[in-house]
Amino acid sequence: MPIKVGYFVREATTNLRRNKLMTMAAILTAAVSLLLLGGVLTLGAFVSSITHQIENQVEVSVFLNDGITKAQQDDVRSTLTGLDVVKKVTFVSKDQAFQEFKSLYRDQPALYENITPDVLPASFRVELTDPQRVDVIRSKLAKNPAVEEIADQRATVQRLVRFTGLLRTFSVVMILVLLGAAILLISNQTQLAIYARRREIEIMKLVGATNWFVRLPFMLEGIATGVAGAAIALVLLAVGKRVARSQFPVWIPTTALHGVALSQILWLVILGIAVGAIGSAVAVRRFLDA
């Protein structure tokens, strides 16, 4: 058995070296498709973490018009505190809003250096006992002349989920196309290796070699190509996550961008092996059935 294993590995290595250009093309195609898959998995985890955070905040901002009286402001506060759905009401002045804006974008001073607190509205920040009952606040304050706008994160979450769904659908289509291309390239790579050794294979068959004995070196070649593509994809995914993580503000959860999850490693490696095995198996079966 050790002799056979060594023989299979040597034969697979020889085939890979013999068709360097086709091998590189197959590896890169597999890498791109698997990298895209890793990106889709990361995107899903990232959006889920953001959505979960936004939904857990259960907070509504009631922005006030400029120039309202203290009595109008107190009227809005009393209306809010009188609702059973309201857990807590906090007043945010223009100056406080400006300080929060500066803190949020402290790495981009150009956004706040040329403005004053007057451009930002004062507001009441409302925590709810049930985030699904935002409409209660809207119905009570919609016609209040002191209120400029009532904002909550539900619309943001819904838009984010819809956009992510479309992006995932497009990415899945691209993944399938690229995986198909990778299988085709690996199959062609294997066919070239088979053609180069066709006389040797015919002799092996004449002296009693089984189909699996003939097939295994070529399947190892395909699997090695797929695993190499997965390795490249994992390295690029890790680098991409590190770069992406540095671009987001501190208030956005980036747990999904910290390293490559074990589940992603398993997905990419297993799929790389499957792509290589399928591509080489198709080519070898076509030859053996001919």
Side-chain angles (χ1 to χ4, degrees):
M1 180 63 68
I3 297 177
K4 287 187 178 181
V5 171
Y7 166 79
F8 293 143
V9 172
R10 284 195 304 272
E11 290 299 304
T13 304
T14 301
N15 291 338
L16 289 170
R17 290 175 178 173
R18 184 176 292 153
N19 305 304
K20 291 180 181 178
L21 186 61
M22 184 66 73
T23 298
M24 287 304 301
I27 289 175
L28 291 177
T29 304
V32 171
S33 58
L34 294 173
L35 176 61
L36 187 57
L37 173 62
V40 170
L41 295 175
T42 300
L43 178 65
F46 182 56
V47 171
S48 294
S49 65
I50 294 178
T51 303
H52 182 70
Q53 184 191 50
I54 292 175
E55 289 177 338
N56 284 343
Q57 285 177 347
V58 293
E59 191 174 85
V60 176
S61 292
V62 179
F63 295 103
L64 304 176
N65 284 312
D66 292 337
I68 64 173
T69 65
K70 183 68 167 60
Q72 288 176 305
Q73 179 180 312
D74 291 340
D75 177 61
V76 174
R77 180 191 288 272
S78 63
T79 300
L80 289 170
T81 55
L83 298 174
D84 61 352
V85 72
V86 173
K87 180 180 180 182
K88 181 181 178 182
V89 178
T90 305
F91 178 71
V92 181
S93 67
K94 287 177 174 286
D95 287 331
Q96 289 173 320
F98 184 63
Q99 292 304 317
E100 289 182 357
F101 184 81
K102 287 175 64 176
S103 176
L104 186 60
Y105 296 102
R106 59 181 175 272
D107 295 330
Q108 299 172 285
L111 293 176
Y112 57 78
E113 285 179 344
N114 299 318
I115 63 174
T116 63
D118 289 335
V119 303
L120 298 175
S123 65
F124 285 109
R125 198 164 291 163
V126 185
E127 293 184 26
L128 305 178
T129 57
D130 183 357
Q132 303 302 319
R133 299 184 63 191
V134 176
D135 292 338
V136 173
I137 294 179
R138 292 187 183 278
S139 63
K140 287 292 184 181
L141 296 175
K143 296 181 180 180
N144 192 310
V147 176
E148 178 183 6
E149 182 184 0
I150 300 173
D152 68 274
Q153 293 88 0
R154 290 189 307 171
T156 301
V157 172
Q158 290 170 356
R159 286 196 297 269
L160 188 62
V161 170
R162 282 198 300 269
F163 173 75
T164 304
L166 291 174
L167 189 59
R168 281 179 176 173
T169 301
F170 175 76
S171 298
V172 167
V173 173
M174 289 300 298
I175 289 169
L176 293 176
V177 171
L178 288 170
L179 286 177
I183 290 174
L184 183 61
L185 282 170
I186 292 173
S187 179
N188 289 337
Q189 166 195 341
T190 304
Q191 282 183 329
L192 288 175
I194 292 173
Y195 182 80
R197 299 183 54 207
R198 63 190 184 282
R199 297 188 186 282
E200 180 183 342
I201 294 173
E202 289 172 357
I203 293 173
M204 291 169 62
K205 294 287 290 180
L206 287 174
V207 297
T210 64
N211 285 343
W212 271 109
F213 190 87
V214 175
R215 181 183 289 121
L216 197 53
F218 298 107
M219 292 192 68
L220 288 176
E221 175 189 352
I223 290 172
T225 301
V227 170
I232 294 174
L234 287 169
V235 171
L236 293 177
L237 183 62
V239 173
K241 284 188 173 188
R242 180 183 292 272
V243 172
R245 191 169 66 245
S246 65
Q247 304 302 312
F248 288 99
V250 294
W251 57 272
I252 293 181
T254 57
T255 305
L257 300 179
H258 286 268
V260 181
L262 178 61
S263 59
Q264 294 177 341
I265 295 175
L266 292 176
W267 266 106
L268 267 61
V269 171
I270 291 173
L271 199 54
I273 292 173
V275 166
I278 292 171
S280 57
V282 169
V284 176
R285 182 176 180 180
R286 189 177 302 169
F287 174 81
L288 292 177
D289 290 345

